[in-house]
């Protein structure tokens, strides 16, 4: 990727997780646009073209202002890891495609303005309705958007890792057996599709050894479009998508039925609306070439979005909540639990990473200074004393690693805990188990490839914020780490494709398998060369000027032993250190804070809206579908997506309020409006009730087609539709707009009888629902 970033610039890496939200996709698109704007501006890439109209000039001024702020902070932003579900999966996929192609994300706004119009999505579907909205048309638009990015491909292409989630309707059952040989089925409906653009990816096999080649999955445009369409297949609104063989090629979870039948895929947010795990895994694989820091950005509306746009009725003393509230809780609670578990995992990882002493202990042992030699000698002595305990823990960990690798590739699993193992179980010499703490650089590495990965990881992390370290040292160490990770994957694959049952084999059989794999792949020799190269390069070029590679090796192994004494070292990576930033909608820019607060209070007094800024968006209304209703609503949400992104990205640059407002002013101008107009419309948008929005849709002629589309789905003859009961077919026929020219008497009678039901349904929709502010 070409870049004009200044030497010594800090690289601020953003890993982005995008949540689902149906028509909130428009707001997320605005966020994605601004992420791409800052990424390109701070990296010195080509900006938007100059134009004569005020909006084009404002867009260019905004780009130049981002560039100036980034240079003043000596920071370059990159977006290198992206994961998304549902609407977030679609926006994340298009952002990743733009990065992989080196193209600006300029067409995203047009896509959402054009393709997300309800009147267009409701068009008649060939072969009968398979859903309320036309997913085929939506797939066509996604395909065009991806093709457009490829048509604009430039030499500014950059590496990026993308994960998109989906939900398989059939699932992938796996037989699980407990310790008492009782078997039960464990279905897994989660699906993850991964696409990578990597300049250099390493692969290690028995036949070829260590090989490298570029990888670019983003050339598979059809698979990308199918993945985006599948992830955004909100139930009933869009029909499920049939998996294709090409898309299956990029599926990374589950691993045990890769050759199973192709599946029908639905919305990725059903089971995994916040895919943090693949992001954290991808972070560890990213090489570094300069000083850097990492922020994990979670793009999501506020946690209160489950109640947005609905007038919640007060609870009556002594009476249970209405059944509608109970049903909503049943649907929303699983997602809440999924999100809560993800946040708890992030919290623990942040805590472990921030309180990890790996780097600090390592630097204390290698940095010159008064008493440092004595400190180093004591550390080596303690590591020697605790070496047998470490060796035992390493042996137990290897048994777990083998079992996990085998189980991941088998259609069955085995739940158990290892029987107690003592030192007598690990007396034999093994190629992956050290015999003693080293007193020289090894010619054959016997500490296992996982320990080597952790060791070099500590070296790389120790240089994260050292501006005086040469970039060539970081690059070399990063390549050594990538090669070691490839070897570890090769070893794991060899375990997984063995004939060993995941739980039946005795410990001795498992250990023998590990021995065979290490010998067949010649792991000890290759890893030894890489580790020796890493510690030698570090000793020669590290700013502390340590001249003894052996001391670097021993210091790193002191950290390894102290972590593993008395426990099974099962983590294969060093814990990533990152900051966490939620990019939501609860923080308006300074210039609009007062207007938003006043509008919230007024709305709460008038119609009892929840006290949250979430109602600033149309996409949070009408069960998250409202932004599809009108183009001016989507323009509003898109603009606020950019505005909210500016607020959060400016915080990463530590910009003061006046500079935030300056950026926001240019965003508003670039969208063809003014600050005064936005400010004046805040109260109108926040104050609009659900009934107000439905009434506007009715006036636009959208309400009746929507209702008729639902009736058309009920009576559809599409091959995927079930055979409905007779009563349901009658109801669908009565609600169909395609009435016969000559109605039979019984049809006329039936329509007269059902008319009050239709009138009542419309009246309930368009009437303004109020609730008292007191219980």
């Amino acid at each position: 990727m070409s870049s004009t970033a200044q030497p010594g610039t800090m690289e601020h890496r953003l890993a982005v997780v995008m949540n689902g939200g149906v028509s909130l996709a428009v707001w997320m698109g605005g966020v994605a646009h601004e992420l791409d704007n800052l990424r390109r501006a701070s990296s010195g890439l080509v900006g938007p073209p100059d134009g004569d109209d005020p909006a084009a000039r404002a867009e260019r001024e905004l780009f130049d202002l981002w560039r100036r702020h980034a240079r003043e902070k000596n920071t370059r932003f990159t977006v290198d890891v992206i994961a998304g579900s549902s609407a977030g999966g679609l926006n994340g996929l298009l952002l990743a495609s733009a990065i992989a192609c080196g193209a600006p994300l300029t067409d995203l706004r047009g896509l959402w303005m054009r393709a997300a119009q309800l009147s267009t999505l409701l068009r008649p579907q060939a072969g009968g309705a398979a859903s309320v909205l036309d997913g085929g048309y939506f797939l066509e638009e996604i395909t065009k958007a991806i093709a457009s990015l490829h048509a604009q491909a430039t030499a500014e292409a950059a590496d990026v890792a993308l994960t998109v989630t989906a939900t398989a309707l059939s699932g992938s059952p796996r037989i699980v057996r407990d310790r008492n040989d009782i078997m039960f089925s464990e279905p897994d409906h989660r699906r993850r599709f991964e696409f990578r653009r990597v300049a250099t990816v390493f692969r290690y096999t028995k036949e070829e050894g260590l090989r490298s080649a570029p990888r670019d999955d983003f050339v598979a445009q059809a698979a990308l479009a199918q993945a985006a369409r599948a992830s955004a297949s909100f139930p009933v609104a869009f029909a499920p998508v049939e998996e294709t063989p090409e898309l299956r090629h990029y599926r990374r979870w589950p691993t045990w039925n890769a050759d199973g039948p192709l599946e029908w895929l639905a919305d990725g947010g059903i089971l995994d609306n916040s895919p943090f795990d693949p992001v954290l895994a991808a972070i560890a694989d990213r090489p570094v070439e300069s000083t850097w820091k990492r922020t994990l950005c979670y793009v999501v509306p506020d946690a209160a979005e489950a109640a947005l746009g609905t007038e919640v009725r007060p609870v009556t003393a002594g009476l249970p909540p209405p059944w509608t509230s109970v049903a909503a809780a049943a649907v929303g609670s699983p997602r809440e639990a999924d999100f809560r578990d993800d946040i708890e995992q992030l919290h623990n990882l942040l805590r472990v990473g921030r309180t990890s002493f790996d780097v600090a202990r390592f630097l204390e042992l290698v940095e010159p200074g008064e008493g440092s030699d004595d400190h180093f000698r004591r550390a080596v002595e303690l590591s020697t004393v605790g070496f047998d305990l470490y060796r035992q823990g390493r042996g137990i960990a290897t048994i777990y690693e083998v079992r996990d690798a085998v189980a991941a590739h088998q259609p069955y699993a085995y739940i158990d805990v290892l029987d107690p193992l003592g030192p007598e179980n690990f007396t034999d010499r093994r190629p992956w188990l050290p015999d003693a703490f080293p007193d020289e650089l090894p010619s054959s590495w016997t500490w296992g490839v996982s320990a080597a990965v952790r060791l070099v990881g500590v070296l790389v992390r120790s240089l994260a914020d050292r501006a005086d370290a040469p970039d060539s040292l970081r690059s070399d160490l990063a390549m050594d780490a990538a090669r070691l990770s490839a070897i570890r994957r090769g070893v794991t694959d060899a375990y997984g494709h063995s004939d060993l049952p995941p739980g039946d084999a005795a410990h001795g059989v498992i250990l023998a398998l590990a021995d065979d794999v290490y010998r067949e792949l010649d792991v000890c020799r290759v890893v030894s060369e890489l580790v020796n190269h890493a510690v030698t390069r570090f000793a020669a070029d590290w700013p502390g000027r340590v001249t003894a590679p052996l001391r670097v090796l021993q210091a790193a192994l002191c950290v390894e032993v102290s972590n593993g004494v008395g426990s099974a070292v099962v983590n294969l990576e060093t814990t990533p250190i990152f900051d966490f930033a939620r990019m939501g909608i609860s923080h308006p820019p300074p210039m609009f804070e007062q207007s938003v607060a006043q509008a919230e209070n007024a709305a709460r007094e008038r119609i009892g809206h929840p006290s949250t800024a979430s109602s600033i968006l149309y996409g949070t209304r009408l069960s998250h579908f409202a932004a599809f209703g009108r183009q001016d609503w989507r323009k509003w949400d898109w603009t606020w997506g950019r505005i909210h992104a500016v607020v959060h990205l400016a915080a990463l640059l530590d910009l003061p309020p006046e500079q935030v407002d300056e950026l926001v002013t240019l965003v508003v101008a670039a969208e063809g409006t003014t600050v005064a107009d936005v400010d004046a419309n805040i109260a109108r948008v926040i104050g609009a009730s659900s009934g107000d929005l439905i009434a506007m849709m009715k006036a636009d002629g959208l309400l009746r087609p929507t209702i008729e589309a639902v009736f058309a789905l009920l009576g559809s003859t599409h091959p995927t539709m079930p055979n409905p009961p007779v009563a349901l077919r009658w109801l669908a026929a009565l609600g169909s707009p395609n009435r016969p020219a000559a109605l039979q008497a019984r049809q006329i009678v039936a329509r007269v009888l059902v008319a009050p039901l239709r009138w009542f349904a419309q009246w309930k929709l368009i009437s303004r629902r109020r609730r008292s502010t007191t219980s």
Side-chain angles (χ1 to χ4, degrees):
M1 178 183 71
S2 60
S3 173
T4 59
Q6 300 298 312
T9 297
M10 168 71 75
E11 182 185 8
H12 195 151
R13 297 182 163 196
L14 304 182
V16 180
V17 177
M18 288 190 162
N19 203 306
V22 198
S23 74
L24 275 167
V26 182
W27 175 83
M28 292 179 201
V31 175
H33 177 94
E34 211 54 42
L35 281 167
D36 189 61
N37 221 16
L38 176 59
R39 175 189 74 87
R40 295 179 63 81
S42 64
S43 299
L45 302 181
V46 176
D50 295 324
D52 296 331
D53 62 290
R57 288 198 301 270
E59 194 73 72
R60 181 70 199 197
E61 291 176 17
L62 174 66
F63 188 88
D64 293 339
L65 187 57
W66 273 130
R67 176 174 293 173
R68 188 173 80 233
H69 287 320
R71 285 182 174 175
E72 289 171 352
K73 300 293 184 177
N74 201 28
T75 300
R76 176 171 66 94
F77 285 88
T78 57
V79 179
D80 60 344
V81 179
I82 301 173
S85 291
S86 191
L90 175 54
N91 280 296
L93 183 142
L94 292 173
L95 175 59
S97 297
I99 295 169
C101 293
L105 199 61
T106 54
D107 294 337
L108 187 57
R109 183 183 189 276
L111 172 67
W112 288 120
M113 295 304 110
R114 178 184 67 255
Q117 177 58 42
L118 187 59
S119 57
T120 304
L121 291 171
L122 285 170
R123 69 181 188 175
Q125 302 177 46
S131 58
V132 175
L133 304 179
D134 187 354
Y137 164 73
F138 203 45
L139 177 60
E140 293 174 7
E141 292 297 319
I142 296 170
T143 303
K144 291 177 185 177
I146 295 173
S148 175
L149 290 171
H150 280 267
Q152 302 174 64
T154 69
E156 296 174 348
D159 290 353
V160 64
L162 169 71
T163 300
V164 177
T165 69
T167 302
L169 299 182
S170 57
S172 296
R174 184 162 66 160
I175 301 302
V176 182
R177 187 172 62 204
D178 68 11
R179 193 64 178 265
N180 297 319
D181 275 346
I182 297 176
M183 294 182 289
F184 56 94
S185 177
E186 177 202 44
D188 195 331
H189 295 262
R190 297 169 298 171
R191 297 295 179 268
R192 287 176 179 167
F193 300 93
E194 294 183 358
F195 300 87
R196 299 288 187 266
R197 196 268 186 190
V198 188
T200 303
V201 60
F202 293 97
R203 185 170 179 264
Y204 190 75
T205 62
K206 175 182 177 181
E207 295 76 19
E208 298 181 344
L210 194 60
R211 294 288 184 269
S212 65
R215 172 183 171 183
D216 188 0
D217 298 336
F218 289 87
V219 299
Q221 298 183 40
L224 284 166
Q226 200 78 357
R229 170 65 181 81
S231 186
S233 298
F234 193 83
V236 182
F238 290 105
V241 174
E242 188 173 14
E243 188 179 32
T244 63
E246 184 180 16
L247 180 57
R248 169 65 68 87
H249 177 73
Y250 297 99
R251 198 190 79 183
R252 294 297 177 266
W253 182 265
T255 54
W256 60 82
N257 72 334
D259 298 326
L262 299 176
E263 301 166 327
W264 284 94
L265 305 173
D267 191 283
I270 296 174
L271 294 175
D272 195 1
N273 206 35
S274 308
F276 287 110
D277 283 347
V279 168
L280 296 172
I283 286 174
D285 288 336
R286 306 301 298 143
V288 294
E289 296 179 352
S290 62
T291 54
W292 84 97
K293 67 179 298 186
R294 166 73 68 180
T295 297
L296 175 57
C297 300
Y298 183 37
V299 180
V300 62
D302 290 349
E305 77 261 27
L308 300 182
T310 60
E311 289 79 7
V312 182
R313 297 179 180 179
V315 177
T316 304
L319 294 177
W323 70 267
T324 52
S325 298
V326 177
V331 173
S333 293
R335 285 193 176 189
E336 174 195 320
D338 174 57
F339 173 67
R340 185 176 60 249
D341 291 343
D342 288 332
I343 292 299
E344 289 176 356
Q345 178 194 12
L346 288 176
H347 172 75
N348 291 331
L349 284 172
L350 283 165
R351 174 185 292 173
V352 171
R354 290 298 178 191
T355 59
S356 173
F357 294 104
D358 289 1
V359 172
R361 284 181 293 172
F362 169 72
L363 292 177
E364 287 178 0
L365 299 178
V366 297
E367 284 185 317
E370 184 177 354
S372 63
D373 291 342
D374 292 337
H375 187 191
F376 171 71
R377 281 193 294 271
R378 286 195 298 272
V380 172
E381 291 172 359
L382 289 173
S383 297
T384 303
V385 171
F387 180 78
D388 287 341
L389 290 175
Y390 169 82
R391 192 173 188 273
Q392 179 181 349
R394 184 63 251 167
I396 295 173
T398 299
I399 295 177
Y400 277 124
E401 289 174 16
V402 174
R403 285 192 172 187
D404 290 345
V406 172
H409 291 80
Q410 300 280 359
Y412 55 90
Y414 189 86
I415 297 178
D416 83 323
V417 178
L418 290 183
D419 293 327
L421 297 174
E424 66 277 4
N425 295 98
F426 304 103
T427 55
D428 295 339
R429 297 194 65 179
R430 302 195 178 279
W432 46 268
L433 201 59
D435 292 324
F437 199 82
D439 54 9
E440 61 181 359
L441 294 183
S443 59
S444 180
W445 180 258
T446 59
W447 288 68
V449 66
S450 296
V453 170
R454 290 191 292 270
L455 185 151
V456 177
V458 169
L459 302 186
V460 173
R461 287 174 55 189
S462 69
L463 300 173
D465 57 356
R466 293 297 294 260
D468 52 352
D471 289 344
S472 60
L473 174 60
R474 290 190 181 86
S475 180
D476 282 355
L477 292 179
M479 287 298 101
D480 287 338
R483 292 182 178 97
L484 288 169
S485 293
I487 296 173
R488 190 194 61 212
R489 288 192 296 270
V491 170
T492 302
D493 287 344
Y495 292 155
H497 290 95
S498 68
D499 296 329
L500 184 73
D504 287 339
H507 302 324
V509 176
I510 296 176
L511 296 175
L513 172 62
D515 295 346
D516 292 342
V517 168
Y518 267 74
R519 293 190 181 102
E520 289 177 2
L521 296 182
D522 196 18
V523 172
C524 299
R525 178 187 63 81
V526 179
V527 172
S528 179
E529 293 175 356
L530 292 172
V531 170
N532 289 342
H533 175 266
V535 297
T536 301
R537 284 285 287 115
F538 188 92
D541 289 344
W542 182 64
R545 295 299 181 217
V546 175
T547 57
L550 178 60
R551 179 161 176 171
V552 176
L553 174 67
Q554 291 177 327
L557 288 179
C558 283
V559 174
E560 169 73 12
V561 171
S562 64
N563 284 340
V565 167
S567 65
V569 186
V570 294
N571 59 304
L572 302 184
E573 302 282 1
T574 53
T575 303
I577 296 179
F578 57 91
D579 292 326
F580 178 69
R582 189 189 68 171
M583 303 181 70
I585 57 182
S586 59
H587 293 85
M591 65 168 58
F592 295 136
E593 282 181 347
Q594 185 176 357
S595 297
V596 170
Q598 291 175 347
E600 289 175 20
N601 292 331
R604 191 160 52 249
E605 293 174 0
R606 187 170 71 89
I607 57 176
H609 264 254
S611 57
T612 170
S614 301
S615 48
I616 191 68
L617 301 180
Y618 289 101
T620 61
R621 312 293 190 84
L622 305 182
S623 300
H624 294 179
F625 279 89
F628 290 157
R630 304 177 71 176
Q631 187 178 82
D632 60 312
W633 293 355
R634 292 195 297 283
K635 288 180 179 178
W636 176 267
D637 281 12
W638 171 273
T639 301
W640 274 95
R642 296 188 65 180
I643 290 174
H644 286 125
V646 164
V647 173
H648 293 286
L649 294 175
L652 296 181
L653 280 169
D654 198 24
L655 299 182
E658 59 273 14
Q659 292 183 344
V660 176
D661 283 343
E662 184 181 12
L663 289 164
V664 171
T665 300
L666 290 172
V667 166
V668 170
E671 290 302 324
T673 184
T674 65
V675 170
D677 285 342
V678 172
D679 192 67
N681 284 324
I682 288 174
R684 178 181 60 81
V685 176
I686 291 180
S689 69
S690 298
D692 294 334
L693 301 182
I694 293 173
M696 284 186 273
M697 292 177 62
K698 183 175 184 293
D700 290 343
L702 290 174
L703 185 58
R704 182 179 178 84
T706 303
I707 296 175
E708 290 174 344
V710 174
F711 279 103
L713 176 64
L714 294 177
S716 174
T717 58
H718 191 275
T720 64
M721 297 297 295
N723 186 22
V726 174
L728 191 59
R729 290 202 302 269
W730 265 79
L731 181 62
L734 294 173
S736 173
N738 302 317
R739 302 179 181 182
L743 294 176
Q744 298 178 8
R746 62 180 182 179
Q747 291 177 312
I748 296 175
V749 173
R751 290 190 184 279
V752 170
L753 292 176
V754 83
L757 297 177
R758 289 173 56 86
W759 293 334
F760 176 76
Q762 291 196 31
W763 173 79
K764 287 293 291 181
L765 284 172
I766 65 177
S767 64
R768 180 174 302 169
R769 293 170 295 176
R770 299 179 179 271
R771 71 174 177 89
S772 172
T773 57
T774 60
S775 62

